[in-house]
Amino acid sequence: MKVIQSAALLRESLQKERQYNRQIGFVPTMGALHDGHINLADRCVSENDISVVSIFVNPTQFNDKRDLDTYPRTLDTDCALLERAGCDYVFAPSVEEMYPVPDTRVFDFGRVSQVMEGAARPGHFNGVAQIVSKLFAAVEPINAYFGEKDFQQIAVVRELVKQLKLPVVIRSCPTLREADGLAMSSRNTRLNVEQRRKAPLIARTLKESTGLTAAKSVQEVINYVVDTVNSDPVMRVEYYEIVDEATLKPVHRWSDSDHIVGCITVFCGEVRLIDNIRYDNKTYANRNT
Ligand code: PAF
């Protein structure tokens, strides 16, 4: 496995791989890898000839400087894990390498980047689009792998690929969970013992809420999730929205869409956790509420 810091060198190496008709798959990450990332890497390795993983904590997608400063950085451990997973290249550039001059591009993805995470973290998805477009330009992958925990990010990246007409297929992969249901996240390492014990309440409540759709309206289910999670003093729900999976428009009645997903953000102490759940429309297919 080669660890490369320079985009020019990466492009040159991958160009050679392409000359042998090797198909390149790509997993963009910010490092601090957990099993969820390794699952993406495993899939990339199994579906492509050459697998590239990037590790770069992208400053332009953080609207909170403290969050950026405290984001865990564990490059050596990450590389050991990726080598074991069978990756071929790790791209670990510096900030200067990715942003030799400030990136002033402003993307317009409409609703998908404005609601939920877009509203709570102004500029976040613009920063994601800036770095993902630069990484795609350096790697030119055939397939790129993203985890569904960042459900809205996948919608934004799909829109980016559409707008820039990039020849890459976005592969979304199910969220990996700890044994107690907590969605795997690099941020989980920042939870203290008490917060870590309590954090599974988020996934447990979302799961429970899927059993309520036959008896409760969309708004009642939203209230149930928010009230249940907020009932623990360590937790503070920032938002819980139930939306159509493709458009991210709010769903008001269960019959409004065949593909409904609930997206939540919760502060567990100071640590911001996100998760989501699908509502199976068979449960409420005949309901009008
Ligand atoms: O999901 C992430 O880790 C980041 O948003 C990404 C896609 C690597 C861009 O920095």
Side-chain angles (χ1 to χ4, degrees):
M1 186 181 84
K2 290 196 178 115
V3 181
I4 295 181
Q5 280 86 26
S6 143
L9 197 59
L10 179 73
R11 262 195 297 271
E12 195 184 302
S13 308
L14 295 179
Q15 198 45 42
K16 286 194 191 121
E17 303 286 2
R18 270 188 281 271
Q19 278 164 7
Y20 291 101
N21 282 330
R22 291 181 185 139
Q23 173 171 303
I24 293 165
F26 178 46
V27 184
T29 81
M30 296 206 297
L33 303 184
H34 49 69
D35 284 354
H37 294 113
I38 300 307
N39 189 47
L40 300 181
D42 285 345
R43 189 163 159 203
C44 185
V45 168
S46 72
E47 294 179 0
N48 300 277
D49 303 313
I50 295 294
S51 293
V52 183
V53 176
S54 64
I55 296 180
F56 179 65
V57 182
N58 173 38
T60 71
Q61 70 188 76
F62 285 81
N63 51 341
D64 176 349
K65 171 122 178 34
R66 225 176 89 79
D67 193 20
L68 172 64
D69 291 344
T70 55
Y71 201 86
R73 288 158 170 91
T74 55
L75 184 63
D76 291 345
T77 322
D78 293 345
C79 287
L81 291 170
L82 292 172
E83 177 136 48
R84 209 175 315 145
C87 289
D88 302 288
Y89 294 90
V90 169
F91 180 43
S94 63
V95 173
E96 294 70 34
E97 178 70 12
M98 293 318 284
Y99 296 103
V101 292
D103 189 339
T104 53
R105 288 174 299 163
V106 177
F107 293 86
D108 180 3
F109 302 119
R111 163 178 288 278
V112 294
S113 65
Q114 289 160 358
V115 297
M116 299 192 291
E117 284 299 277
R121 302 178 70 187
H124 168 66
F125 285 127
N126 202 64
V128 169
Q130 288 176 343
I131 192 61
V132 170
S133 61
K134 281 170 181 272
L135 292 169
F136 281 176
V139 179
E140 292 184 51
I142 297 283
N143 295 306
Y145 297 82
F146 290 83
E148 284 175 10
K149 182 176 75 64
D150 296 300
F151 166 81
Q152 191 175 0
Q153 172 169 274
I154 297 181
V156 168
V157 171
R158 287 194 201 284
E159 198 53 41
L160 172 76
V161 164
K162 202 155 87 185
Q163 287 189 11
L164 300 183
K165 296 194 168 79
L166 300 176
V168 52
V169 179
I170 303 304
R171 310 272 180 197
S172 68
C173 307
T175 304
L176 242 66
R177 296 183 180 279
E178 304 290 352
D180 56 15
L182 177 64
M184 288 187 185
S185 164
S186 307
R187 287 196 163 86
N188 293 352
T189 57
R190 285 161 52 187
L191 298 167
N192 67 26
V193 173
E194 189 203 2
Q195 292 161 350
R196 175 62 191 85
R197 188 169 54 78
K198 293 187 160 185
L201 175 66
I202 304 165
R204 201 164 57 240
T205 306
L206 291 181
K207 193 153 183 233
E208 275 163 14
S209 78
T210 62
L212 302 177
T213 56
K216 289 188 189 296
S217 68
V218 174
Q219 190 55 53
E220 284 167 342
V221 168
I222 292 174
N223 294 346
Y224 170 81
V225 168
V226 173
D227 293 347
T228 308
V229 176
N230 277 341
S231 69
D232 189 310
V234 167
M235 306 281 197
R236 182 171 58 79
V237 175
E238 190 177 21
Y239 64 78
Y240 184 54
E241 295 198 22
I242 296 185
V243 299
D244 173 80
E245 189 176 332
T247 63
L248 305 193
K249 282 196 180 138
V251 163
H252 300 293
R253 295 144 75 98
W254 296 117
S255 53
D256 280 353
S257 165
D258 286 340
H259 301 283
I260 296 179
V261 58
C263 299
I264 195 163
T265 297
V266 181
F267 280 96
C268 182
E270 300 245 296
V271 186
R272 195 170 180 275
L273 301 175
I274 68 174
D275 202 349
N276 59 73
I277 192 124
R278 285 203 163 73
Y279 289 96
D280 174 3
N281 78 347
K282 284 187 205 75
T283 332
Y284 47 77
N286 297 320
R287 281 182 51 81
N288 257 345
T289 54

